[in-house]
Amino acid sequence: MYRDIVDFALSTPAWLHSLAETGTDAGLFLFVALFALCWWRARSAPARDLAVAIAGPAGVVGAYVVSEVLKVFIREDRPCRGGVVTIATCPPTGDWSFPSNHSVIAAGAAGALILAWRALAWVVLPLSALMAFSRVFVGVHYPHDVAAGYLLGLTLAPLFTLLLVGAVTPVVRLARSRLWPQQAGR
């Protein structure tokens, strides 16, 4: 399946190659902007809602850390090391393939954003899936790397976010009571 996707990718126009290469990273910046928008939207909402918006990025970082730990133990070589011609330059030796960190981060961001703002689901889920698929398309991951990373991110980031909300909510209430006494009960 990997070779079929990579061979197909190589037959596509050059502009699509460039879009796929830059899109895998640029999409992550879009998620950063969406987290900022979530925070802005929740700034005057109840304390728990703002706590979810604040804790979301930390949940994504937690999922990423788990992914990095798994890579150290699993140590799967990248598929592009086998002499396969790919769109992207193959990462250096020691940069392991399983699971895909880009997929973990994209899916984790989507899951955490959905917790903070459910209406974003129709945007962030397809975007994260496209970003994950692009890692196979450009040739730096096997499909199972991407699938595992996606499931890991979509599961762990929201879980870590919810675990943090209990600690962040009182901090939001305290900050509001000190900075904006008129919002003290929210």
Side-chain angles (χ1 to χ4, degrees), residues 42-50 169 172-174 176-177 180-186:
R43 73 192 186 288
S44 60
R48 185 182 185 287
D49 294 351
L50 181 54
T169 302
V172 168
R173 285 193 181 110
L174 178 63
R176 283 181 172 171
S177 70
W180 302 282
Q182 70 277 12
Q183 291 186 357
R186 297 187 78 175

Side-chain angles (χ1 to χ4, degrees), residues 30-145:
L30 179 57
F31 282 126
V32 169
L34 287 171
F35 274 117
L37 184 61
C38 270
W39 169 81
W40 182 258
R41 181 178 172 268
R43 73 192 186 288
S44 60
R48 185 182 185 287
D49 294 351
L50 181 54
V52 170
I54 291 169
V60 175
V61 169
Y64 170 78
V65 168
V66 170
S67 173
E68 278 296 308
V69 169
L70 286 172
K71 280 183 180 247
V72 169
F73 288 106
I74 296 171
R75 301 174 66 121
E76 178 185 71
D77 262 340
R78 297 226 179 221
C80 48
R81 294 210 206 302
V84 178
V85 177
T86 60
I87 292 172
T89 303
C90 198
T93 302
D95 186 350
W96 307 110
S97 191
F98 184 89
S100 164
N101 284 339
H102 276 80
S103 299
V104 169
I105 294 168
L113 283 163
I114 291 168
L115 281 179
W117 191 357
R118 282 177 180 56
L120 288 178
W122 71 274
V123 173
V124 297
L125 286 173
L127 177 61
S128 64
L130 185 61
M131 288 172 57
F133 172 76
S134 73
R135 303 305 290 165
V136 179
F137 187 85
V138 300
V140 296
H141 280 289
Y142 291 109
H144 67 270
D145 300 338

Side-chain angles (χ1 to χ4, degrees), residues 6-19:
V6 169
D7 289 345
F8 169 74
L10 290 170
S11 73
T12 61
W15 65 264
L16 188 56
H17 298 183
S18 298
L19 181 64

